[in-house]
mmCIF file of all heavy atoms in Angstrom:
data_model
loop_
_atom_site.group_PDB
_atom_site.id
_atom_site.type_symbol
_atom_site.label_atom_id
_atom_site.label_comp_id
_atom_site.label_asym_id
_atom_site.label_seq_id
_atom_site.Cartn_x
_atom_site.Cartn_y
_atom_site.Cartn_z
ATOM 1 N N ALA A 90 210.660 42.733 108.005
ATOM 2 C CA ALA A 90 211.880 42.153 108.565
ATOM 3 C C ALA A 90 213.093 42.332 107.655
ATOM 4 O O ALA A 90 214.228 42.272 108.116
ATOM 5 C CB ALA A 90 211.679 40.665 108.868
ATOM 6 N N GLU A 91 212.873 42.578 106.373
ATOM 7 C CA GLU A 91 213.976 42.764 105.427
ATOM 8 C C GLU A 91 214.520 44.189 105.415
ATOM 9 O O GLU A 91 215.563 44.448 104.811
ATOM 10 C CB GLU A 91 213.518 42.397 104.014
ATOM 11 C CG GLU A 91 213.135 40.945 103.856
ATOM 12 C CD GLU A 91 212.648 40.647 102.456
ATOM 13 O OE1 GLU A 91 213.234 41.171 101.491
ATOM 14 O OE2 GLU A 91 211.682 39.886 102.325
ATOM 15 N N ALA A 92 213.833 45.107 106.056
ATOM 16 C CA ALA A 92 214.262 46.508 106.063
ATOM 17 C C ALA A 92 215.536 46.673 106.877
ATOM 18 O O ALA A 92 215.915 45.808 107.671
ATOM 19 C CB ALA A 92 213.157 47.382 106.648
ATOM 20 N N LYS A 93 216.209 47.802 106.678
ATOM 21 C CA LYS A 93 217.418 48.134 107.423
ATOM 22 C C LYS A 93 217.041 49.073 108.558
ATOM 23 O O LYS A 93 216.419 50.113 108.328
ATOM 24 C CB LYS A 93 218.440 48.809 106.520
ATOM 25 C CG LYS A 93 218.952 47.902 105.423
ATOM 26 C CD LYS A 93 219.949 48.629 104.559
ATOM 27 C CE LYS A 93 220.510 47.697 103.489
ATOM 28 N NZ LYS A 93 221.511 48.386 102.656
ATOM 29 N N VAL A 94 217.409 48.702 109.774
ATOM 30 C CA VAL A 94 217.077 49.495 110.951
ATOM 31 C C VAL A 94 218.332 50.153 111.490
ATOM 32 O O VAL A 94 219.331 49.481 111.756
ATOM 33 C CB VAL A 94 216.434 48.617 112.048
ATOM 34 C CG1 VAL A 94 216.182 49.420 113.319
ATOM 35 C CG2 VAL A 94 215.136 48.001 111.538
ATOM 36 N N TYR A 95 218.260 51.467 111.658
ATOM 37 C CA TYR A 95 219.342 52.239 112.252
ATOM 38 C C TYR A 95 218.850 52.701 113.619
ATOM 39 O O TYR A 95 217.952 53.528 113.715
ATOM 40 C CB TYR A 95 219.704 53.427 111.354
ATOM 41 C CG TYR A 95 220.230 52.982 110.012
ATOM 42 C CD1 TYR A 95 219.370 52.725 108.954
ATOM 43 C CD2 TYR A 95 221.590 52.787 109.817
ATOM 44 C CE1 TYR A 95 219.850 52.301 107.729
ATOM 45 C CE2 TYR A 95 222.077 52.360 108.585
ATOM 46 C CZ TYR A 95 221.201 52.120 107.550
ATOM 47 O OH TYR A 95 221.680 51.696 106.347
ATOM 48 N N ALA A 96 219.424 52.122 114.666
ATOM 49 C CA ALA A 96 218.950 52.395 116.017
ATOM 50 C C ALA A 96 219.940 53.205 116.838
ATOM 51 O O ALA A 96 219.698 53.483 117.999
ATOM 52 C CB ALA A 96 218.640 51.073 116.726
ATOM 53 N N ASP A 97 221.046 53.607 116.253
ATOM 54 C CA ASP A 97 222.067 54.359 116.968
ATOM 55 C C ASP A 97 221.782 55.856 116.849
ATOM 56 O O ASP A 97 222.540 56.617 116.261
ATOM 57 C CB ASP A 97 223.451 54.024 116.394
ATOM 58 C CG ASP A 97 224.571 54.591 117.237
ATOM 59 O OD1 ASP A 97 224.339 54.880 118.421
ATOM 60 O OD2 ASP A 97 225.683 54.744 116.703
ATOM 61 N N ALA A 98 220.643 56.255 117.400
ATOM 62 C CA ALA A 98 220.197 57.643 117.315
ATOM 63 C C ALA A 98 219.188 57.880 118.439
ATOM 64 O O ALA A 98 218.867 56.953 119.174
ATOM 65 C CB ALA A 98 219.560 57.890 115.949
ATOM 66 N N PRO A 99 218.661 59.067 118.543
ATOM 67 C CA PRO A 99 217.630 59.308 119.559
ATOM 68 C C PRO A 99 216.367 58.484 119.319
ATOM 69 O O PRO A 99 215.553 58.330 120.198
ATOM 70 C CB PRO A 99 217.318 60.800 119.412
ATOM 71 C CG PRO A 99 218.502 61.385 118.760
ATOM 72 C CD PRO A 99 219.073 60.291 117.890
ATOM 73 N N GLY A 100 216.208 57.952 118.130
ATOM 74 C CA GLY A 100 215.061 57.120 117.794
ATOM 75 C C GLY A 100 215.496 56.025 116.858
ATOM 76 O O GLY A 100 216.672 55.684 116.768
ATOM 77 N N ILE A 101 214.533 55.479 116.144
ATOM 78 C CA ILE A 101 214.791 54.405 115.185
ATOM 79 C C ILE A 101 214.464 54.925 113.792
ATOM 80 O O ILE A 101 213.423 55.555 113.590
ATOM 81 C CB ILE A 101 213.922 53.178 115.497
ATOM 82 C CG1 ILE A 101 214.338 52.567 116.829
ATOM 83 C CG2 ILE A 101 214.007 52.144 114.393
ATOM 84 C CD1 ILE A 101 213.406 51.470 117.289
ATOM 85 N N VAL A 102 215.337 54.667 112.849
ATOM 86 C CA VAL A 102 215.085 54.980 111.447
ATOM 87 C C VAL A 102 215.104 53.665 110.685
ATOM 88 O O VAL A 102 216.049 52.895 110.794
ATOM 89 C CB VAL A 102 216.150 55.945 110.869
ATOM 90 C CG1 VAL A 102 215.929 56.175 109.383
ATOM 91 C CG2 VAL A 102 216.140 57.265 111.622
ATOM 92 N N VAL A 103 214.053 53.387 109.928
ATOM 93 C CA VAL A 103 213.947 52.163 109.138
ATOM 94 C C VAL A 103 214.007 52.560 107.669
ATOM 95 O O VAL A 103 213.245 53.411 107.213
ATOM 96 C CB VAL A 103 212.639 51.411 109.445
ATOM 97 C CG1 VAL A 103 212.531 50.152 108.601
ATOM 98 C CG2 VAL A 103 212.558 51.070 110.928
ATOM 99 N N ARG A 104 214.927 51.927 106.934
ATOM 100 C CA ARG A 104 215.145 52.240 105.523
ATOM 101 C C ARG A 104 214.855 51.040 104.642
ATOM 102 O O ARG A 104 215.025 49.901 105.041
ATOM 103 C CB ARG A 104 216.588 52.690 105.297
ATOM 104 C CG ARG A 104 216.882 54.040 105.901
ATOM 105 C CD ARG A 104 218.304 54.473 105.575
ATOM 106 N NE ARG A 104 218.504 55.848 105.948
ATOM 107 C CZ ARG A 104 218.333 56.884 105.144
ATOM 108 N NH1 ARG A 104 217.970 56.701 103.900
ATOM 109 N NH2 ARG A 104 218.521 58.105 105.573
ATOM 110 N N CYS A 105 214.455 51.307 103.432
ATOM 111 C CA CYS A 105 214.202 50.287 102.419
ATOM 112 C C CYS A 105 215.508 49.572 102.092
ATOM 113 O O CYS A 105 216.537 50.217 101.866
ATOM 114 C CB CYS A 105 213.632 50.946 101.170
ATOM 115 S SG CYS A 105 213.397 49.836 99.776
ATOM 116 N N SER A 106 215.474 48.263 102.040
ATOM 117 C CA SER A 106 216.677 47.504 101.710
ATOM 118 C C SER A 106 216.994 47.568 100.220
ATOM 119 O O SER A 106 218.092 47.218 99.810
ATOM 120 C CB SER A 106 216.548 46.049 102.160
ATOM 121 O OG SER A 106 215.447 45.434 101.537
ATOM 122 N N SER A 107 216.057 48.060 99.410
ATOM 123 C CA SER A 107 216.298 48.183 97.974
ATOM 124 C C SER A 107 216.921 49.526 97.601
ATOM 125 O O SER A 107 217.874 49.580 96.845
ATOM 126 C CB SER A 107 214.999 48.017 97.193
ATOM 127 O OG SER A 107 214.493 46.718 97.354
ATOM 128 N N CYS A 108 216.372 50.623 98.132
ATOM 129 C CA CYS A 108 216.810 51.952 97.685
ATOM 130 C C CYS A 108 217.351 52.834 98.799
ATOM 131 O O CYS A 108 217.788 53.944 98.533
ATOM 132 C CB CYS A 108 215.662 52.668 96.985
ATOM 133 S SG CYS A 108 214.371 53.280 98.102
ATOM 134 N N GLU A 109 217.284 52.387 100.046
ATOM 135 C CA GLU A 109 217.733 53.151 101.214
ATOM 136 C C GLU A 109 216.805 54.312 101.568
ATOM 137 O O GLU A 109 217.130 55.120 102.435
ATOM 138 C CB GLU A 109 219.162 53.682 101.028
ATOM 139 C CG GLU A 109 220.215 52.609 100.882
ATOM 140 C CD GLU A 109 220.509 51.886 102.180
ATOM 141 O OE1 GLU A 109 220.464 52.511 103.246
ATOM 142 O OE2 GLU A 109 220.803 50.680 102.111
ATOM 143 N N GLY A 110 215.661 54.429 100.922
ATOM 144 C CA GLY A 110 214.703 55.476 101.288
ATOM 145 C C GLY A 110 214.171 55.231 102.693
ATOM 146 O O GLY A 110 214.025 54.093 103.135
ATOM 147 N N VAL A 111 213.872 56.317 103.414
ATOM 148 C CA VAL A 111 213.347 56.197 104.772
ATOM 149 C C VAL A 111 211.900 55.727 104.701
ATOM 150 O O VAL A 111 211.063 56.351 104.051
ATOM 151 C CB VAL A 111 213.441 57.539 105.528
ATOM 152 C CG1 VAL A 111 212.758 57.447 106.886
ATOM 153 C CG2 VAL A 111 214.902 57.949 105.691
ATOM 154 N N LEU A 112 211.608 54.603 105.374
ATOM 155 C CA LEU A 112 210.254 54.070 105.444
ATOM 156 C C LEU A 112 209.527 54.551 106.686
ATOM 157 O O LEU A 112 208.341 54.850 106.653
ATOM 158 C CB LEU A 112 210.286 52.534 105.464
ATOM 159 C CG LEU A 112 210.924 51.833 104.274
ATOM 160 C CD1 LEU A 112 210.992 50.336 104.538
ATOM 161 C CD2 LEU A 112 210.156 52.134 103.010
ATOM 162 N N LEU A 113 210.250 54.589 107.800
ATOM 163 C CA LEU A 113 209.621 54.818 109.091
ATOM 164 C C LEU A 113 210.619 55.463 110.032
ATOM 165 O O LEU A 113 211.810 55.157 109.986
ATOM 166 C CB LEU A 113 209.190 53.453 109.632
ATOM 167 C CG LEU A 113 208.585 53.305 111.004
ATOM 168 C CD1 LEU A 113 207.641 52.135 111.003
ATOM 169 C CD2 LEU A 113 209.629 53.115 112.066
ATOM 170 N N ARG A 114 210.123 56.355 110.878
ATOM 171 C CA ARG A 114 210.909 56.933 111.972
ATOM 172 C C ARG A 114 210.080 56.794 113.234
ATOM 173 O O ARG A 114 208.871 57.051 113.215
ATOM 174 C CB ARG A 114 211.193 58.409 111.730
ATOM 175 C CG ARG A 114 212.079 58.711 110.556
ATOM 176 C CD ARG A 114 212.192 60.246 110.381
ATOM 177 N NE ARG A 114 212.944 60.602 109.219
ATOM 178 C CZ ARG A 114 212.425 60.922 108.046
ATOM 179 N NH1 ARG A 114 211.119 60.897 107.876
ATOM 180 N NH2 ARG A 114 213.184 61.258 107.036
ATOM 181 N N LEU A 115 210.720 56.402 114.338
ATOM 182 C CA LEU A 115 210.041 56.277 115.614
ATOM 183 C C LEU A 115 210.911 56.871 116.712
ATOM 184 O O LEU A 115 212.074 56.487 116.864
ATOM 185 C CB LEU A 115 209.743 54.809 115.941
ATOM 186 C CG LEU A 115 209.115 54.538 117.311
ATOM 187 C CD1 LEU A 115 207.709 55.120 117.394
ATOM 188 C CD2 LEU A 115 209.099 53.052 117.602
ATOM 189 N N VAL A 116 210.341 57.807 117.444
ATOM 190 C CA VAL A 116 211.016 58.393 118.597
ATOM 191 C C VAL A 116 210.083 58.232 119.786
ATOM 192 O O VAL A 116 208.882 58.490 119.683
ATOM 193 C CB VAL A 116 211.345 59.886 118.373
ATOM 194 C CG1 VAL A 116 211.940 60.505 119.624
ATOM 195 C CG2 VAL A 116 212.284 60.047 117.192
ATOM 196 N N GLU A 117 210.619 57.783 120.907
ATOM 197 C CA GLU A 117 209.841 57.575 122.116
ATOM 198 C C GLU A 117 210.308 58.550 123.183
ATOM 199 O O GLU A 117 211.504 58.709 123.413
ATOM 200 C CB GLU A 117 210.034 56.138 122.604
ATOM 201 C CG GLU A 117 209.239 55.783 123.810
ATOM 202 C CD GLU A 117 209.457 54.343 124.247
ATOM 203 O OE1 GLU A 117 210.113 53.578 123.520
ATOM 204 O OE2 GLU A 117 208.971 53.999 125.336
ATOM 205 N N THR A 118 209.360 59.220 123.817
ATOM 206 C CA THR A 118 209.650 60.080 124.957
ATOM 207 C C THR A 118 208.975 59.452 126.171
ATOM 208 O O THR A 118 208.226 58.478 126.025
ATOM 209 C CB THR A 118 209.117 61.515 124.735
ATOM 210 O OG1 THR A 118 207.690 61.495 124.809
ATOM 211 C CG2 THR A 118 209.570 62.084 123.399
#
Side-chain angles (χ1 to χ4, degrees):
E91 296 178 40
K93 295 180 178 181
V94 176
Y95 297 87
D97 190 21
I101 294 172
V102 176
V103 179
R104 290 183 170 267
C105 175
S106 60
S107 295
C108 74
E109 297 287 325
V111 174
L112 300 174
L113 176 150
R114 294 176 184 97
L115 176 67
V116 175
E117 182 180 352
T118 71

